[in-house]
Amino acid sequence: MSFPFLEVANVTKSFGHFIALRQISLTVKEGQTTALIGPNGAGKTTFYNLLSGRLQPSEGTVHFCGRPVSGQPPHKINKMGISRSFQITNIFSELTVLENVLVALIAHLGQGLHFWQIVHRDKQLASRGMAMLERLGLSALAGSRAGTLSYGDKRLLELAIVLATEPKLVLLDEPTAGMTPEETHAVIRLLRSLADEGKYTFLITEHDMNVVFGLAEHIFVFHRGELLAEGTGEQIKANPEVRSAYLGEEVEGC
Amino acid sequence: MTAFVAALLNSFDIGILLFIIASGLTIVFGVLGILNFAHGALYMTGAYLLLTLMRTLEIPFWMGLLLAPLGVAMLAVAIERFLLRRIYHRHPSFGLLLTFALLLIIDDTVRLIWGSGYHIVEPPPALRGAMSLFGVTYPLYSFFTIAMGILIGVAVWLLFHRTRIGKTVRAAALDPEMAQAVGINVPLVLTLVFGFGAWLAALGGALAAPMRTLGPAMGDTIIIESFIVVVIGGLGSFPGALLGALILGGIHGFGGRWLAEWNIVLPYIGMALVLLWRPEGLMGRR
Amino acid sequence: MRKKLQLGTLLLLAVGLVLLPKLSPFFIVFVATEILILGLFATSFNLMFGYCGLLSFGHGAFFGTGAYVAGLLLQHLQWDFFWVLAVAPLAAALVATLIGCLCVRLNEVYFSMLTLAFGMMIFAIAHQWRSVTGGSDGLAGFPLTRVGLGLDLVLANPFHFYYLTLVIVGLSLAAIYTLTISPFGLILRAMRENSERVAFAGIPANRYRLYGFILSGLFSGLAGALFAAFSRVAVPEMAHWTQSAEPILMTILGGSQFFFGPLAGAAVFLGLKTLITSYTSEWMIYLGIILLGMVLFLPKGIFGLFERWLGGRT
């Protein structure tokens, strides 16, 4: 018997009287690039926080490959195979670019307590780290302090850290936010090729509809904490409720 | 029965005083984000200032009670204005190191000025003697401190929740940028709040002076007690300070009577229990 | 080139330290021993501060525990000093485990507050527990035994003690250094930056902080045990926050972002202390003023001034 990849069942999250998410139920299929859209305040980041363990649901459950996610601390959820990026870039500014990736690699390989190893001399770590940086086009910056990177490169580094733990499900919180059009196109191409490799399943929140319709095979629309609609790009564009609540004139531009 | 009542009164007495002192610590943290390690030293300075005012300048107790905390508050305002202000935007360690340095300086300065010996402050003539309550004879002065404590507690609560000043301070604490944008002079608010916190500590010191012997280590014990209070109650929470102080008062009052050898570690055990069960404090935000 | 310069300086220092007793008067050897011991204390403190970003105000608890356990073992059991040095740090590590479990789960401010409180708890226990710790007088006059292991060293001989200390501290610093360049060290540094991100990458952050805390307590206890033998006493003040303030100031003086910062800071600190206490008994006020000055004007320490020349961070 195979379990659904990611199953969210009747999840509600309230902060005191404020209900951020109301009875969300959805499933994400493995290998299907999925997007989560909705206006600001719709509850997307809260939803991510619930999936990644930053917050716990007030009601409802989240299961990943049959195992419960709700109630687990973030590091356990990461070990289960879910990795996330943050809306506000969350890297280690004082460490070098390579060291940033090494942190995630060390965690993934379980070498955190290998006291006898010398981090900077370890060939396996170095080659895997550099390979990851290559994939994202950051290998030239390997020795630079992460804090000195351009904004776009920092976002890429964030992605490198996320991918270094070899997750099955990757939650990307507005990956192209603040990027120039060229950088955005590069990211779209990168994500598409990564998705094609088949190793990762991406769940992306975005405001940029080009990214959403260009990448996503399945889209969820959130509105005021509820799941308003779901479907393919065409279905979403055609949905009148979605159009009135969210897309508005942007549909013409696509 | 009388033992119980005595322990209860004792708990309340200690607790209410601790509440005044610890509330200063927690308010400063809540608004400035600074944990003032020197808070106990300011308490001690309040007590010693009262001593000097009464003994050297022969000012009556009531005047001293008014002036000593104000003096310490002025010192605190100077500290905030010239020292603390410089490290707000830096890593939290700097604030901790700075107030710790102040602790060392103030502690030793008190020792330099007043010596390492012990001093006694007499309660004012009106409050000497004892009173009977439920079969227990209790010092009149203790009742006074309890009454003062309740008065101050209520006054501070009203100040923060019912007055415009209070609202201004809370706004500055919650969102300094926004507050500045709507015209609130946030730096001034911070200075005044720090001064107010010091005032509370020194008031606690002045009030405590007639009940306790003044010695060079009095600041040390109080800062630890204040820490225990705010950990139990939740750092930054005013009602938490009350709850924590009453609990600690209870531990001292009842523990002191029935578990004397454990008396030293009981408060720490109490704190450890809270840390294990509800680390952010009983009334802390999760 | 920089690496060669650094290694060269280190080698020169090592040679100098080895030859010290041959070249200098007894008094210098005495001071050098103290610098080494306190330098070890400060370096292990810095494992939490410089690497984890957590400021502990209670490290005296581990220093004091190490000192008391060493004193007790020497006094009551007359163990060979080698075994004393093996067991005393473990006792300190145990205390660090208990205290650490409670302290590392919260943010930096709580951590500092709690370490201060629990450190003072150890002070209070040492002060009160007359029957075991000798109360406010502490332990004194315990015999300095043989070192053991068939080594023909007499601890009471300050030159022998100096060499023993040099070897122990040298090995300990090497061990701590290995820790810092290991994956564990990188994780600690990452946690100082951004402990949330570390958790989201799959590391149980609190547990790692606890491990760092225990190791830090272990080496602090070792320093304490050495100090007990050095000063021939174990007193409650070793767990007081005024003692805990010393590694803090040493580290800030030298520079917390450099491996040898705390050791260098220890040398400067002891120099200052010797100078100031020859004039006045109120040393704390100067300690406070210096700390204040460093925090406001020289937060990176002395090494920080030469940062570029020395080649930057650890």
Short mmCIF file of all heavy atoms in Angstrom, two decimals, chain C residues 36-47 59 62-64 66-67 85 88-94 96 168-180 184 211-227 259:
data_model
loop_
_atom_site.label_atom_id
_atom_site.label_comp_id
_atom_site.label_asym_id
_atom_site.label_seq_id
_atom_site.Cartn_x
_atom_site.Cartn_y
_atom_site.Cartn_z
N LEU C 36 48.72 30.08 31.86
CA LEU C 36 48.34 28.89 31.09
C LEU C 36 47.02 28.30 31.59
O LEU C 36 46.13 27.98 30.80
CB LEU C 36 49.44 27.83 31.18
CG LEU C 36 50.68 28.09 30.35
CD1 LEU C 36 51.78 27.10 30.71
CD2 LEU C 36 50.37 28.00 28.86
N ILE C 37 46.92 28.18 32.92
CA ILE C 37 45.70 27.58 33.48
C ILE C 37 44.49 28.44 33.17
O ILE C 37 43.46 27.95 32.68
CB ILE C 37 45.83 27.40 35.01
CG1 ILE C 37 46.97 26.45 35.34
CG2 ILE C 37 44.52 26.89 35.59
CD1 ILE C 37 47.24 26.30 36.82
N LEU C 38 44.59 29.73 33.43
CA LEU C 38 43.44 30.60 33.18
C LEU C 38 43.18 30.76 31.69
O LEU C 38 42.05 30.94 31.26
CB LEU C 38 43.66 31.96 33.84
CG LEU C 38 43.66 31.91 35.37
CD1 LEU C 38 43.87 33.29 35.96
CD2 LEU C 38 42.36 31.32 35.90
N GLY C 39 44.24 30.65 30.89
CA GLY C 39 44.06 30.68 29.44
C GLY C 39 43.23 29.50 28.98
O GLY C 39 42.39 29.61 28.08
N LEU C 40 43.46 28.34 29.57
CA LEU C 40 42.66 27.17 29.24
C LEU C 40 41.20 27.41 29.64
O LEU C 40 40.27 27.12 28.89
CB LEU C 40 43.20 25.93 29.95
CG LEU C 40 42.37 24.64 29.78
CD1 LEU C 40 42.30 24.23 28.32
CD2 LEU C 40 42.95 23.51 30.61
N PHE C 41 41.01 27.98 30.83
CA PHE C 41 39.67 28.29 31.31
C PHE C 41 38.97 29.22 30.33
O PHE C 41 37.83 28.97 29.92
CB PHE C 41 39.80 28.94 32.70
CG PHE C 41 38.49 29.23 33.38
CD1 PHE C 41 37.35 28.46 33.15
CD2 PHE C 41 38.39 30.28 34.29
CE1 PHE C 41 36.15 28.73 33.79
CE2 PHE C 41 37.20 30.55 34.95
CZ PHE C 41 36.08 29.78 34.70
N ALA C 42 39.67 30.27 29.93
CA ALA C 42 39.06 31.24 29.02
C ALA C 42 38.78 30.62 27.65
O ALA C 42 37.75 30.88 27.03
CB ALA C 42 39.96 32.46 28.88
N THR C 43 39.69 29.78 27.17
CA THR C 43 39.48 29.16 25.85
C THR C 43 38.27 28.24 25.89
O THR C 43 37.47 28.21 24.94
CB THR C 43 40.72 28.37 25.41
OG1 THR C 43 41.86 29.21 25.51
CG2 THR C 43 40.57 27.88 23.98
N SER C 44 38.10 27.52 26.98
CA SER C 44 36.93 26.64 27.03
C SER C 44 35.65 27.45 27.21
O SER C 44 34.60 27.07 26.69
CB SER C 44 37.06 25.57 28.12
OG SER C 44 37.39 26.15 29.34
N PHE C 45 35.73 28.58 27.91
CA PHE C 45 34.58 29.48 27.97
C PHE C 45 34.22 29.95 26.57
O PHE C 45 33.05 30.02 26.18
CB PHE C 45 34.89 30.67 28.88
CG PHE C 45 34.05 31.89 28.60
CD1 PHE C 45 32.79 32.00 29.13
CD2 PHE C 45 34.52 32.91 27.78
CE1 PHE C 45 32.01 33.12 28.87
CE2 PHE C 45 33.76 34.02 27.51
CZ PHE C 45 32.49 34.13 28.06
N ASN C 46 35.24 30.27 25.81
CA ASN C 46 35.01 30.83 24.48
C ASN C 46 34.39 29.82 23.52
O ASN C 46 33.83 30.20 22.50
CB ASN C 46 36.32 31.37 23.90
CG ASN C 46 36.08 32.36 22.78
OD1 ASN C 46 35.12 33.11 22.81
ND2 ASN C 46 36.93 32.34 21.77
N LEU C 47 34.47 28.56 23.87
CA LEU C 47 33.82 27.55 23.05
C LEU C 47 32.32 27.85 22.97
O LEU C 47 31.68 27.66 21.96
CB LEU C 47 34.07 26.17 23.66
CG LEU C 47 33.93 24.95 22.75
CD1 LEU C 47 34.87 25.06 21.57
CD2 LEU C 47 34.24 23.68 23.53
N HIS C 59 30.49 30.21 34.36
CA HIS C 59 31.50 29.19 34.14
C HIS C 59 32.33 28.91 35.38
O HIS C 59 33.02 27.89 35.46
CB HIS C 59 32.40 29.55 32.96
CG HIS C 59 32.05 28.78 31.73
ND1 HIS C 59 30.79 28.80 31.18
CD2 HIS C 59 32.78 27.92 31.00
CE1 HIS C 59 30.77 27.99 30.14
NE2 HIS C 59 31.95 27.44 30.00
N PHE C 62 31.92 25.46 36.93
CA PHE C 62 32.68 24.29 36.47
C PHE C 62 34.12 24.37 36.95
O PHE C 62 34.72 23.36 37.33
CB PHE C 62 32.62 24.20 34.95
CG PHE C 62 31.24 24.40 34.42
CD1 PHE C 62 30.96 25.37 33.48
CD2 PHE C 62 30.19 23.64 34.91
CE1 PHE C 62 29.68 25.58 33.01
CE2 PHE C 62 28.90 23.84 34.45
CZ PHE C 62 28.65 24.81 33.51
N PHE C 63 34.65 25.58 36.93
CA PHE C 63 35.99 25.81 37.43
C PHE C 63 36.05 25.41 38.90
O PHE C 63 36.93 24.66 39.33
CB PHE C 63 36.31 27.30 37.27
CG PHE C 63 37.74 27.68 37.54
CD1 PHE C 63 38.74 27.34 36.66
CD2 PHE C 63 38.07 28.42 38.67
CE1 PHE C 63 40.06 27.72 36.89
CE2 PHE C 63 39.37 28.81 38.92
CZ PHE C 63 40.37 28.46 38.02
N GLY C 64 35.06 25.89 39.66
CA GLY C 64 35.00 25.58 41.09
C GLY C 64 34.79 24.10 41.35
O GLY C 64 35.41 23.53 42.24
N GLY C 66 35.65 21.59 39.47
CA GLY C 66 36.92 20.93 39.18
C GLY C 66 37.89 21.10 40.33
O GLY C 66 38.56 20.15 40.76
N ALA C 67 37.94 22.33 40.85
CA ALA C 67 38.87 22.62 41.95
C ALA C 67 38.50 21.83 43.20
O ALA C 67 39.36 21.21 43.84
CB ALA C 67 38.88 24.11 42.24
N LEU C 85 43.29 14.51 37.77
CA LEU C 85 43.03 15.30 36.57
C LEU C 85 42.09 14.60 35.61
O LEU C 85 41.50 15.22 34.74
CB LEU C 85 44.35 15.62 35.84
CG LEU C 85 45.23 16.67 36.48
CD1 LEU C 85 46.46 16.92 35.63
CD2 LEU C 85 44.47 17.98 36.68
N ALA C 88 38.30 14.91 38.00
CA ALA C 88 37.72 16.22 38.32
C ALA C 88 36.98 16.85 37.13
O ALA C 88 35.87 17.36 37.30
CB ALA C 88 38.80 17.15 38.86
N PRO C 89 37.56 16.85 35.92
CA PRO C 89 36.83 17.41 34.79
C PRO C 89 35.52 16.68 34.53
O PRO C 89 34.54 17.29 34.07
CB PRO C 89 37.79 17.23 33.61
CG PRO C 89 39.12 17.08 34.21
CD PRO C 89 38.91 16.41 35.51
N LEU C 90 35.50 15.38 34.78
CA LEU C 90 34.25 14.64 34.55
C LEU C 90 33.16 15.12 35.49
O LEU C 90 31.99 15.21 35.11
CB LEU C 90 34.49 13.13 34.71
CG LEU C 90 35.38 12.50 33.65
CD1 LEU C 90 35.62 11.03 33.96
CD2 LEU C 90 34.74 12.63 32.27
N ALA C 91 33.56 15.40 36.73
CA ALA C 91 32.58 15.94 37.67
C ALA C 91 32.03 17.26 37.16
O ALA C 91 30.83 17.53 37.20
CB ALA C 91 33.22 16.12 39.06
N ALA C 92 32.94 18.11 36.67
CA ALA C 92 32.51 19.39 36.13
C ALA C 92 31.60 19.18 34.93
O ALA C 92 30.61 19.90 34.75
CB ALA C 92 33.73 20.23 35.73
N ALA C 93 31.92 18.18 34.11
CA ALA C 93 31.09 17.91 32.93
C ALA C 93 29.70 17.47 33.35
O ALA C 93 28.70 17.79 32.71
CB ALA C 93 31.75 16.85 32.06
N LEU C 94 29.62 16.73 34.44
CA LEU C 94 28.32 16.29 34.94
C LEU C 94 27.49 17.49 35.36
O LEU C 94 26.31 17.59 35.02
CB LEU C 94 28.52 15.34 36.12
CG LEU C 94 27.24 14.78 36.75
CD1 LEU C 94 26.52 13.90 35.74
CD2 LEU C 94 27.53 14.00 38.02
N ALA C 96 27.85 20.44 34.28
CA ALA C 96 27.52 21.15 33.04
C ALA C 96 26.34 20.51 32.34
O ALA C 96 25.50 21.20 31.75
CB ALA C 96 28.73 21.18 32.11
N ILE C 168 49.67 19.59 29.85
CA ILE C 168 48.22 19.39 29.95
C ILE C 168 47.48 20.47 29.16
O ILE C 168 46.55 20.18 28.40
CB ILE C 168 47.76 19.41 31.42
CG1 ILE C 168 48.52 18.41 32.25
CG2 ILE C 168 46.26 19.21 31.51
CD1 ILE C 168 47.84 17.11 32.47
N VAL C 169 47.86 21.72 29.41
CA VAL C 169 47.17 22.81 28.72
C VAL C 169 47.40 22.72 27.22
O VAL C 169 46.49 22.92 26.42
CB VAL C 169 47.62 24.18 29.27
CG1 VAL C 169 47.09 25.31 28.40
CG2 VAL C 169 47.14 24.37 30.69
N GLY C 170 48.62 22.40 26.84
CA GLY C 170 48.93 22.26 25.42
C GLY C 170 48.06 21.21 24.76
O GLY C 170 47.46 21.43 23.70
N LEU C 171 47.97 20.05 25.40
CA LEU C 171 47.15 18.98 24.84
C LEU C 171 45.67 19.38 24.80
O LEU C 171 44.97 19.12 23.82
CB LEU C 171 47.30 17.70 25.68
CG LEU C 171 48.63 16.97 25.54
CD1 LEU C 171 48.71 15.82 26.54
CD2 LEU C 171 48.80 16.44 24.12
N SER C 172 45.22 20.05 25.88
CA SER C 172 43.82 20.46 25.92
C SER C 172 43.50 21.45 24.82
O SER C 172 42.47 21.35 24.15
CB SER C 172 43.48 21.07 27.27
OG SER C 172 43.79 20.19 28.31
N LEU C 173 44.39 22.43 24.66
CA LEU C 173 44.15 23.42 23.61
C LEU C 173 44.14 22.75 22.25
O LEU C 173 43.33 23.08 21.38
CB LEU C 173 45.21 24.52 23.65
CG LEU C 173 45.11 25.49 24.82
CD1 LEU C 173 46.24 26.52 24.76
CD2 LEU C 173 43.77 26.22 24.83
N ALA C 174 45.03 21.77 22.06
CA ALA C 174 45.04 21.05 20.79
C ALA C 174 43.72 20.33 20.58
O ALA C 174 43.16 20.32 19.48
CB ALA C 174 46.21 20.07 20.76
N ALA C 175 43.21 19.72 21.67
CA ALA C 175 41.93 19.01 21.56
C ALA C 175 40.81 19.98 21.22
O ALA C 175 39.99 19.70 20.33
CB ALA C 175 41.63 18.30 22.88
N ILE C 176 40.78 21.11 21.89
CA ILE C 176 39.72 22.09 21.61
C ILE C 176 39.86 22.60 20.19
O ILE C 176 38.86 22.77 19.48
CB ILE C 176 39.77 23.26 22.63
CG1 ILE C 176 39.53 22.77 24.04
CG2 ILE C 176 38.73 24.31 22.26
CD1 ILE C 176 39.62 23.86 25.09
N TYR C 177 41.09 22.82 19.75
CA TYR C 177 41.29 23.29 18.39
C TYR C 177 40.75 22.29 17.38
O TYR C 177 40.10 22.64 16.40
CB TYR C 177 42.77 23.57 18.13
CG TYR C 177 43.01 24.20 16.78
CD1 TYR C 177 42.62 25.51 16.55
CD2 TYR C 177 43.59 23.47 15.74
CE1 TYR C 177 42.82 26.09 15.32
CE2 TYR C 177 43.79 24.05 14.51
CZ TYR C 177 43.40 25.36 14.30
OH TYR C 177 43.58 25.93 13.07
N THR C 178 41.03 21.01 17.64
CA THR C 178 40.51 19.96 16.74
C THR C 178 38.99 20.03 16.67
O THR C 178 38.40 19.87 15.60
CB THR C 178 40.92 18.57 17.25
OG1 THR C 178 42.24 18.62 17.73
CG2 THR C 178 40.80 17.53 16.17
N LEU C 179 38.38 20.28 17.82
CA LEU C 179 36.94 20.42 17.84
C LEU C 179 36.48 21.55 16.93
O LEU C 179 35.51 21.43 16.20
CB LEU C 179 36.47 20.76 19.27
CG LEU C 179 36.13 19.62 20.20
CD1 LEU C 179 35.87 20.17 21.58
CD2 LEU C 179 34.92 18.88 19.68
N THR C 180 37.21 22.67 17.00
CA THR C 180 36.74 23.84 16.26
C THR C 180 36.90 23.67 14.75
O THR C 180 36.16 24.30 14.00
CB THR C 180 37.47 25.12 16.68
OG1 THR C 180 38.86 24.96 16.42
CG2 THR C 180 37.26 25.42 18.14
N PHE C 184 31.72 19.49 13.78
CA PHE C 184 31.02 19.98 14.96
C PHE C 184 31.28 21.47 15.15
O PHE C 184 30.37 22.25 15.43
CB PHE C 184 31.50 19.20 16.19
CG PHE C 184 30.81 19.55 17.47
CD1 PHE C 184 29.49 19.23 17.68
CD2 PHE C 184 31.50 20.22 18.48
CE1 PHE C 184 28.85 19.55 18.86
CE2 PHE C 184 30.87 20.55 19.67
CZ PHE C 184 29.54 20.21 19.85
N TYR C 211 25.99 19.74 23.92
CA TYR C 211 27.29 19.07 23.79
C TYR C 211 28.43 20.07 23.93
O TYR C 211 29.42 19.83 24.61
CB TYR C 211 27.41 18.37 22.44
CG TYR C 211 26.44 17.24 22.20
CD1 TYR C 211 26.02 16.91 20.92
CD2 TYR C 211 25.93 16.50 23.26
CE1 TYR C 211 25.13 15.89 20.69
CE2 TYR C 211 25.03 15.47 23.04
CZ TYR C 211 24.63 15.17 21.76
OH TYR C 211 23.74 14.16 21.53
N GLY C 212 28.29 21.21 23.26
CA GLY C 212 29.29 22.25 23.37
C GLY C 212 29.44 22.70 24.81
O GLY C 212 30.55 22.89 25.31
N PHE C 213 28.31 22.86 25.49
CA PHE C 213 28.32 23.32 26.87
C PHE C 213 29.04 22.31 27.76
O PHE C 213 29.84 22.68 28.63
CB PHE C 213 26.88 23.52 27.33
CG PHE C 213 26.73 24.32 28.59
CD1 PHE C 213 27.05 25.68 28.60
CD2 PHE C 213 26.26 23.75 29.75
CE1 PHE C 213 26.91 26.43 29.75
CE2 PHE C 213 26.11 24.51 30.91
CZ PHE C 213 26.43 25.85 30.91
N ILE C 214 28.76 21.03 27.55
CA ILE C 214 29.39 20.00 28.36
C ILE C 214 30.91 19.99 28.14
O ILE C 214 31.69 19.92 29.09
CB ILE C 214 28.80 18.61 28.04
CG1 ILE C 214 27.33 18.57 28.44
CG2 ILE C 214 29.56 17.51 28.79
CD1 ILE C 214 26.62 17.30 28.01
N LEU C 215 31.31 20.07 26.88
CA LEU C 215 32.74 20.09 26.58
C LEU C 215 33.39 21.31 27.20
O LEU C 215 34.49 21.24 27.77
CB LEU C 215 32.96 20.08 25.07
CG LEU C 215 32.69 18.73 24.41
CD1 LEU C 215 32.54 18.89 22.90
CD2 LEU C 215 33.82 17.76 24.72
N SER C 216 32.69 22.44 27.11
CA SER C 216 33.21 23.66 27.69
C SER C 216 33.36 23.52 29.20
O SER C 216 34.35 23.96 29.79
CB SER C 216 32.24 24.80 27.35
OG SER C 216 32.65 25.99 27.94
N GLY C 217 32.38 22.87 29.83
CA GLY C 217 32.45 22.66 31.26
C GLY C 217 33.57 21.70 31.63
O GLY C 217 34.25 21.87 32.64
N LEU C 218 33.77 20.70 30.79
CA LEU C 218 34.81 19.71 31.04
C LEU C 218 36.18 20.36 31.14
O LEU C 218 36.93 20.16 32.10
CB LEU C 218 34.80 18.67 29.91
CG LEU C 218 35.84 17.56 30.03
CD1 LEU C 218 35.25 16.40 30.79
CD2 LEU C 218 36.29 17.07 28.67
N PHE C 219 36.51 21.16 30.13
CA PHE C 219 37.83 21.77 30.11
C PHE C 219 37.97 22.85 31.18
O PHE C 219 39.07 23.08 31.70
CB PHE C 219 38.15 22.32 28.72
CG PHE C 219 38.49 21.23 27.73
CD1 PHE C 219 37.57 20.83 26.77
CD2 PHE C 219 39.72 20.58 27.79
CE1 PHE C 219 37.87 19.82 25.88
CE2 PHE C 219 40.04 19.57 26.90
CZ PHE C 219 39.11 19.18 25.94
N SER C 220 36.85 23.51 31.50
CA SER C 220 36.89 24.48 32.58
C SER C 220 37.18 23.78 33.90
O SER C 220 37.91 24.28 34.75
CB SER C 220 35.58 25.24 32.69
OG SER C 220 35.31 25.94 31.50
N GLY C 221 36.60 22.58 34.06
CA GLY C 221 36.85 21.80 35.27
C GLY C 221 38.30 21.37 35.35
O GLY C 221 38.90 21.34 36.43
N LEU C 222 38.86 21.03 34.21
CA LEU C 222 40.28 20.65 34.18
C LEU C 222 41.14 21.83 34.64
O LEU C 222 42.07 21.68 35.44
CB LEU C 222 40.67 20.21 32.77
CG LEU C 222 42.13 19.80 32.54
CD1 LEU C 222 42.52 18.65 33.45
CD2 LEU C 222 42.34 19.40 31.09
N ALA C 223 40.80 23.00 34.13
CA ALA C 223 41.53 24.20 34.54
C ALA C 223 41.38 24.41 36.04
O ALA C 223 42.35 24.77 36.73
CB ALA C 223 41.01 25.42 33.77
N GLY C 224 40.19 24.19 36.54
CA GLY C 224 39.96 24.35 37.98
C GLY C 224 40.78 23.39 38.80
O GLY C 224 41.34 23.76 39.84
N ALA C 225 40.87 22.14 38.34
CA ALA C 225 41.65 21.15 39.07
C ALA C 225 43.13 21.56 39.10
O ALA C 225 43.79 21.49 40.14
CB ALA C 225 41.49 19.78 38.42
N LEU C 226 43.61 22.01 37.97
CA LEU C 226 45.00 22.48 37.92
C LEU C 226 45.20 23.66 38.86
O LEU C 226 46.21 23.76 39.55
CB LEU C 226 45.37 22.90 36.49
CG LEU C 226 45.70 21.77 35.50
CD1 LEU C 226 45.79 22.33 34.10
CD2 LEU C 226 47.00 21.09 35.90
N PHE C 227 44.20 24.54 38.88
CA PHE C 227 44.32 25.74 39.70
C PHE C 227 44.33 25.40 41.18
O PHE C 227 45.02 26.05 41.98
CB PHE C 227 43.19 26.71 39.36
CG PHE C 227 43.45 28.10 39.84
CD1 PHE C 227 44.37 28.91 39.18
CD2 PHE C 227 42.80 28.62 40.95
CE1 PHE C 227 44.64 30.20 39.62
CE2 PHE C 227 43.06 29.91 41.39
CZ PHE C 227 43.98 30.70 40.73
N PHE C 259 41.22 31.90 17.91
CA PHE C 259 41.43 30.77 18.81
C PHE C 259 42.34 31.12 19.98
O PHE C 259 42.09 30.74 21.11
CB PHE C 259 41.99 29.56 18.05
CG PHE C 259 42.16 28.36 18.94
CD1 PHE C 259 41.06 27.62 19.32
CD2 PHE C 259 43.40 28.02 19.44
CE1 PHE C 259 41.19 26.53 20.17
CE2 PHE C 259 43.55 26.93 20.29
CZ PHE C 259 42.44 26.19 20.66
#
